[in-house]
Every structure is written in C-alpha cells, then in structure tokens.
Amino acid sequence: MRAVIYAKINMKGIVSQHIMQKGTNMDDMEKLLTIKDVQEHLQLGRNRVYQLIKIDSFPKIKIGNTYRIPKREYLEWVQNNIGKTVFL
C-alpha cells in the first residue's frame, strides 16, 4: 500500500515539475466563456445564444450537455461579423 501511495505522490511531483518547467499553469490557459457570459456580452436571451451556437462557424466546445466558448476565438468571431447580419 505504501508503494502505491508513494508512486502517486511522486507522479504528482513530476507533473508539477513539468508544468513549472514548461511555464504552463492555470493562469496561462485560455479562458472559456459560458452561455451566460455570451448572453451578457451580446445582450441576447438564452434561446438566441443557443441558436447562435448551432451556427457551424461559431466557436464552441461541447462537454457533456454543456457548451464552453473559447474567449479568444469568440472575440475573433465577433470581430469578423461586425457589420454582417447573422441569421438565427
């Protein structure tokens, strides 16, 4: 039992070292927006945002039954669609 626990602790240390060496941590990761974030930003209702998500060009990640929107890609999508009509 001790060997297993030791291995887990050791692996955690190795992973932590790898993250520190690569300069990757949670602060460096891209923010993912929620449906509510997009609602507030675009001043749209929940149903309209779900209609927006159905558009192929709209950036989204489906995790189980929920959607997350990569912030950088979302802002690029908004910028690329300024002045255009988005049909829902």
Side-chain angles (χ1 to χ4, degrees), residues 13-28:
I14 290 170
V15 170
S16 295
Q17 266 185 340
H18 178 72
I19 288 171
M20 296 289 279
Q21 289 172 352
K22 296 288 182 183
T24 304
N25 61 37
M26 294 300 281
D27 295 333
D28 294 337

Side-chain angles (χ1 to χ4, degrees), residues 29-66:
M29 295 179 73
E30 182 177 358
K31 178 164 172 57
L32 297 175
L33 304 174
T34 63
I35 297 298
K36 189 153 185 85
D37 294 331
V38 175
Q39 275 182 258
E40 291 172 4
H41 182 248
L42 296 178
Q43 298 179 358
L44 293 174
R46 184 172 178 242
N47 290 339
R48 285 284 187 207
V49 174
Y50 276 105
Q51 289 174 336
L52 189 61
I53 280 179
K54 290 180 183 178
I55 297 173
D56 288 337
S57 66
F58 189 83
K60 71 249 177 203
I61 300 169
K62 187 171 185 183
I63 304 170
N65 292 329
T66 61

